[in-house]
């Protein structure tokens, strides 16, 4: 029997979850106040994902680094590769908010978009 502790980030409550693994396929989640907590604990156990936020270089003198984020969560084991790719970019201005700078990162169907517009 294996036990894991999590703090749920699926909603603002932040439930303290205990996931107990019994056998190959039986998972018991305790401490959740909603169904999302149960789903979150199971996803964290089998395939944890995160939304990534970062900054990307730009040609702007006013804002040399532009905030960017993924459009959805990606597997945690791909985060370092994504960050490296983001840091290699140098965006040309003008930059529009929600402009896709990386499309379908490594076949995940997740894009990286800018979160701010820059005109100069």
């Amino acid at each position: 029997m294996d036990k894991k502790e999590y703090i749920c980030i699926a909603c603002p409550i932040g439930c303290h979850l205990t996931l107990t693994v019994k056998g190959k396929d039986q998972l018991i989640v305790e401490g959740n106040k909603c169904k999302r907590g149960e789903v979150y604990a199971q996803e964290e156990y089998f395939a944890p994902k995160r939304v990534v936020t970062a900054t990307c270089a730009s040609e702007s003198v006013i804002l040399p680094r532009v905030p960017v984020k993924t459009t959805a969560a990606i597997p945690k084991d791909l985060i370092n590769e994504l960050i490296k790719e983001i840091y290699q970019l140098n965006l040309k201005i003008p930059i529009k908010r929600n402009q896709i700078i990386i499309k379908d990162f490594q076949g995940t169907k997740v894009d990286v978009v800018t979160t701010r517009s820059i005109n100069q």
Side-chain angles (χ1 to χ4, degrees):
M1 189 161 55
D2 188 22
K3 283 192 174 199
K4 300 282 185 183
E5 303 285 328
Y6 300 107
I7 296 176
C8 183
I9 59 172
C11 77
I13 296 172
C15 298
H16 290 261
L17 308 174
T18 302
L19 179 127
T20 306
V21 182
K22 292 184 177 181
K24 291 182 183 177
D25 298 328
Q26 188 179 11
L27 299 177
I28 300 166
V29 178
E30 299 172 305
N32 56 305
K33 292 182 175 55
C34 68
K35 182 74 175 164
R36 290 182 285 181
E38 185 175 345
V39 171
Y40 173 79
Q42 291 174 1
E43 285 179 355
E44 271 301 291
Y45 184 75
F46 288 114
K49 296 179 178 180
R50 296 290 183 273
V51 170
V52 176
T53 61
T55 60
C56 182
S58 81
E59 294 179 344
S60 171
V61 221
I62 297 170
L63 194 65
R65 300 213 52 92
V66 180
V68 299
K69 71 176 189 101
T70 55
T71 55
I74 66 167
K76 280 177 72 174
D77 59 344
L78 295 178
I79 292 174
N80 285 339
E81 294 173 51
L82 176 61
I83 294 294
K84 285 179 190 175
E85 192 168 324
I86 289 170
Y87 286 172
Q88 290 174 354
L89 297 174
N90 189 13
L91 303 179
K92 298 186 183 311
I93 50 175
I95 298 167
K96 294 189 184 268
R97 185 171 185 257
N98 289 323
Q99 177 179 325
I100 296 174
I101 62 167
I102 299 173
K103 181 135 183 87
D104 188 21
F105 177 71
Q106 291 197 2
T108 59
K109 298 182 181 168
V110 175
D111 300 331
V112 178
V113 297
T114 57
T115 61
R116 182 174 177 165
S117 296
I118 302 172
N119 293 322
Q120 43 177 317

